[in-house]
Amino acid sequence: MKQTAAYYRSSTQLQEESVTTQQYEINQYALKKGILIDIEYPEPAVSARKNKLNERPQMKQLMTDIRIGKIGTLLVYKRDRLARKVEEHLELYKLFMRHGVDVHFIAENEPPMRFDIFGELMELFIGVMNQREGEQINLRISDTKLNNFLRGKSIGHLPFGYSTDKDKTKIIRNEDELKIIKFIFQEWNTDKYGNMEKLAQKLKEDGLKRGKNDWTRNNVSDVLTNPIYMGIRVASFDNREVSRSVEELAVITPDEFVLAQELIEDRKKPMRAKENFNYLLSELIFCDLCEQNRLNEQEISKIIMSRKPLINHKRTKNGKIIATYECKEHNIKLEQLEIENLVYRKARTFFSELLDTHFDKLYSSHLTRNLAELSKVKNSLDKELQSAEDKLTQAVNKWIKNDNDSTREKVMECSRDVKNLKEKLFEIEVKRQKFIEVPNSIKEIKDEIINEGSWGKLPFSRKCILVKDLIHEILVDNFTVRMVFKHPYLETNEVVG
Ligand SMILES: [Zn+2]
């Protein structure tokens, strides 16, 4: 069996599309598609403009593994994660083609990789675009100040732990100070400090000083958020953050730094988030009285007012904290457990009745009709795509022979048409899959919902999905609870444009 690989690359640790982000996106995608990732090739802090393919260790390994036939599928966030130079992009494209590697791009609007003549042309074109973008990045950072910073010529203000030599040309490590820095990160990352104030207190108790002074909360915060301690300097030019690697200055690893940031984020969340009540009906449950007001006012003033769901609240009752859904204005208070149990029971009844009575008939007639409709649309789009691809091929040929604004514009225009058509076709395919999968998902929902025992054991996130699948909205006033269900098969009626 050939294996499935994922490749991630970021040019610096701080880039928006960091290795961690790419990894997260790719994992979500794999999860959704039921793909199992066997090997990962994470390439942190490597610029594709500066480093050739074989100078990137993980890329080199990946290429070797493809050559020996180990890899069948490759997941990558975007093409520009693979290469920025057009020759390198094509080199990889041919390698994938030769060894039959199925490449998945995860980012939105990234066209799939195809292995035919047209596909190769497309890759050439995209490769040129990516290279141009890479060059523009270079251009943008050609500013002298910036260049000096990037080359390490401009030293600027240095944080605790570093100083400069006499000529102010070199950064010197102050190992005693850096020991304290390392200690601060290590202590913080134990997760035992509720806030930075407490860590500053600990430093004081241990007799550690910042120069002559005691450490303050702000000092600690400055340390914990400065990436220089993991070997990356960041400076701001024209409101744009630029970073450069200064590995020789590092005292902690990037992993330790990332962990510290996560813990800081955790501390920012309000304390009540800790005792989370998992409100299942958030955004589904509305105050009927507010709704009526809203609709009236809307009619009069034509102002579109947004809907406000009941707010999630907590109250103390007989010394115990209970969760509620409330509308303050209309004095509506619903105990969370009561209303959620009621909703569950109603949904279960609705659903099982639906299955008993209508399901087979409704579903089979809708499915047949909709599928027929979809395949008609698909056929005509296929024809359009064929002709759009032909036009693009001609346009590219003209452009290769004669590179000017007009031929280039024509290529862009044709490729936009192709892209649009492909997106439409993709949407059609998604719709088709959804129809075909209806019986399976119905069975799944049935197993999960009808049996109260298995419902109770479902994870909260799954419950949320199911509840939203079934229920359109819940309207409450002082006396009644009105549930509006989604009808999953009737909904499939309004299809195909
Ligand atoms: Zn209200």
Side-chain angles (χ1 to χ4, degrees):
M1 257 292 268
K2 288 201 175 190
Q3 300 195 307
T4 296
Y7 178 79
Y8 327 112
R9 183 183 64 79
S10 73
S11 32
T12 71
Q13 291 287 348
L14 295 171
Q15 197 168 304
E16 200 177 2
E17 280 162 8
S18 68
V19 164
T20 328
T21 316
Q22 291 171 44
Q23 196 170 26
Y24 174 78
E25 295 286 341
I26 288 177
N27 274 323
Q28 290 297 98
Y29 174 87
L31 213 65
K32 229 186 275 164
K33 299 251 166 183
I35 300 173
L36 220 64
I37 298 171
D38 299 301
I39 332 169
E40 296 183 294
Y41 301 84
E43 200 118 62
V46 172
S47 158
R49 275 166 285 128
K50 288 187 219 132
N51 294 74
K52 292 183 186 139
L53 287 180
N54 59 14
E55 288 172 350
R56 290 189 246 153
Q58 292 292 312
M59 175 50 84
K60 203 174 155 189
Q61 187 60 48
L62 171 64
M63 290 170 76
T64 309
D65 290 345
I66 290 174
R67 276 188 203 104
I68 61 172
K70 194 169 151 190
I71 310 294
T73 306
L74 177 64
L75 307 183
V76 185
Y77 185 64
K78 267 171 97 166
R79 275 180 179 73
D80 65 6
R81 300 298 90 196
L82 292 171
R84 281 244 188 237
K85 292 197 181 99
V86 66
E87 320 86 79
E88 294 185 344
H89 184 73
L90 287 181
E91 186 188 334
L92 285 173
Y93 174 74
K94 280 177 184 155
L95 182 72
F96 298 150
M97 177 159 64
R98 214 174 307 128
H99 295 276
V101 181
D102 186 11
V103 185
H104 296 237
F105 297 110
I106 277 70
E108 254 179 289
N109 299 328
E110 191 76 359
M113 194 171 256
R114 292 170 42 162
F115 298 112
D116 49 25
I117 295 176
F118 179 77
E120 192 173 336
L121 220 51
M122 245 345 245
E123 295 304 323
L124 173 68
F125 181 68
I126 294 170
V128 170
M129 297 312 271
N130 279 346
Q131 175 166 346
R132 198 168 295 169
E133 199 177 304
E135 282 160 1
Q136 267 164 3
I137 293 172
N138 265 339
L139 252 169
R140 266 187 262 136
I141 54 179
S142 67
D143 183 80
T144 344
K145 254 200 284 182
L146 207 53
N147 262 328
N148 285 343
F149 171 76
L150 291 171
R151 292 202 197 116
K153 277 186 188 164
S154 135
I155 285 186
H157 172 72
L158 285 173
F160 185 76
Y162 309 101
S163 51
T164 58
D165 63 350
K166 259 192 229 150
D167 306 331
K168 299 212 169 191
T169 53
K170 236 184 99 197
I171 301 176
I172 300 170
R173 293 168 64 105
N174 181 329
E175 295 300 341
D176 285 341
E177 290 184 358
L178 290 176
K179 247 185 230 158
I180 300 176
I181 299 289
K182 202 172 162 82
F183 180 72
I184 290 175
F185 274 99
Q186 276 169 352
E187 282 297 301
W188 179 251
N189 283 354
T190 59
D191 195 15
K192 68 184 176 197
Y193 296 93
N195 56 48
M196 294 185 204
E197 191 82 53
K198 291 195 174 125
L199 178 49
Q201 191 62 32
K202 160 83 177 160
L203 295 170
K204 196 175 170 184
E205 281 161 22
D206 286 9
L208 295 170
K209 294 260 174 190
R210 192 181 186 284
K212 285 174 191 163
N213 304 321
D214 285 329
W215 283 85
T216 66
R217 198 212 79 92
N218 285 347
N219 299 147
V220 172
S221 169
D222 288 346
V223 167
L224 288 174
T225 54
N226 196 333
I228 193 171
Y229 299 120
M230 66 159 167
I232 291 177
R233 277 206 86 186
V234 180
S236 197
F237 297 93
D238 301 333
N239 293 324
R240 216 153 38 84
E241 289 207 329
V242 182
S243 61
R244 85 184 158 92
S245 171
V246 282
E247 261 169 75
E248 66 283 2
L249 300 183
V251 274
I252 53 157
T253 65
D255 283 347
E256 287 170 314
F257 186 80
V258 169
L259 175 59
Q261 308 316 303
E262 283 170 7
L263 292 176
I264 292 171
E265 281 303 309
D266 274 357
R267 298 290 180 276
K268 278 184 197 157
K269 287 175 196 151
M271 288 307 275
R272 64 192 133 87
K274 276 208 165 167
E275 30 153 347
N276 200 342
F277 275 104
N278 284 343
Y279 292 86
L280 187 62
L281 306 177
S282 297
E283 285 163 38
L284 274 180
I285 190 162
F286 301 90
C287 167
D288 210 357
L289 304 169
C290 286
E291 280 297 291
Q292 282 163 19
N293 276 348
R294 193 178 71 96
L295 293 177
N296 290 340
E297 281 177 40
Q298 210 173 323
E299 253 172 58
I300 298 162
S301 63
K302 299 280 175 209
I303 294 171
I304 297 166
M305 294 166 69
S306 60
R307 311 186 70 184
K308 261 195 257 148
L310 289 185
I311 54 167
N312 301 339
H313 201 70
K314 281 196 200 84
R315 301 193 163 265
T316 325
K317 190 179 169 188
N318 305 330
K320 262 175 71 186
I321 297 178
I322 52 161
T324 55
Y325 294 96
E326 302 192 358
C327 169
K328 290 226 158 78
E329 199 186 330
H330 297 103
N331 197 25
I332 290 176
K333 295 191 198 85
L334 296 164
E335 280 193 32
Q336 184 203 20
L337 288 180
E338 275 174 24
I339 183 76
E340 285 181 5
N341 281 336
L342 177 72
V343 166
Y344 165 67
R345 283 198 305 273
K346 287 238 179 183
R348 189 176 63 169
T349 311
F350 167 81
F351 192 63
S352 58
E353 272 170 13
L354 193 69
L355 286 185
D356 288 346
T357 51
H358 311 293
F359 175 66
D360 279 338
K361 228 163 95 190
L362 266 177
Y363 175 64
S364 54
S365 67
H366 277 294
L367 180 76
T368 323
R369 208 163 57 219
N370 281 318
L371 284 180
E373 202 68 42
L374 281 176
S375 79
K376 242 199 299 185
V377 178
K378 185 179 176 298
N379 280 343
S380 89
L381 280 175
D382 271 336
K383 273 180 204 142
E384 276 182 60
L385 177 63
Q386 183 106 44
S387 114
E389 285 181 349
D390 288 346
K391 277 184 193 148
L392 177 58
T393 312
Q394 286 165 13
V396 170
N397 277 331
K398 275 185 192 154
W399 168 60
I400 289 171
K401 281 182 208 140
N402 183 9
D403 181 5
N404 62 36
D405 282 353
S406 126
T407 55
R408 214 174 300 154
E409 182 52 41
K410 187 74 190 162
V411 170
M412 297 285 282
E413 187 192 313
C414 290
S415 84
R416 268 197 299 272
D417 291 347
V418 167
K419 209 177 122 209
N420 288 340
L421 284 165
K422 280 188 181 171
E423 271 165 18
K424 277 189 194 156
L425 272 164
F426 180 75
E427 276 166 27
I428 297 282
E429 184 54 29
V430 171
K431 274 184 186 162
R432 212 175 67 89
Q433 285 301 331
K434 274 193 188 157
F435 285 134
I436 293 173
E437 279 163 16
V438 168
N440 285 336
S441 57
I442 294 293
K443 194 188 165 303
E444 222 177 78
I445 298 177
K446 187 177 165 189
D447 293 344
E448 288 170 321
I449 273 198
I450 303 271
N451 179 330
E452 198 160 349
S454 58
W455 170 257
K457 284 191 204 114
L458 288 178
F460 177 70
S461 56
R462 179 66 189 155
K463 281 185 186 173
C464 283
I465 293 172
L466 288 172
V467 163
K468 283 191 181 132
D469 271 351
L470 285 177
I471 298 171
H472 173 61
E473 62 184 3
I474 305 163
L475 295 163
V476 291
D477 60 27
N478 292 312
F479 308 104
T480 53
V481 175
R482 195 150 57 90
M483 292 174 61
V484 183
F485 289 100
K486 284 182 187 170
H487 196 310
Y489 331 110
L490 286 181
E491 203 182 51
T492 58
N493 204 0
E494 34 173 333
V495 131
V496 188

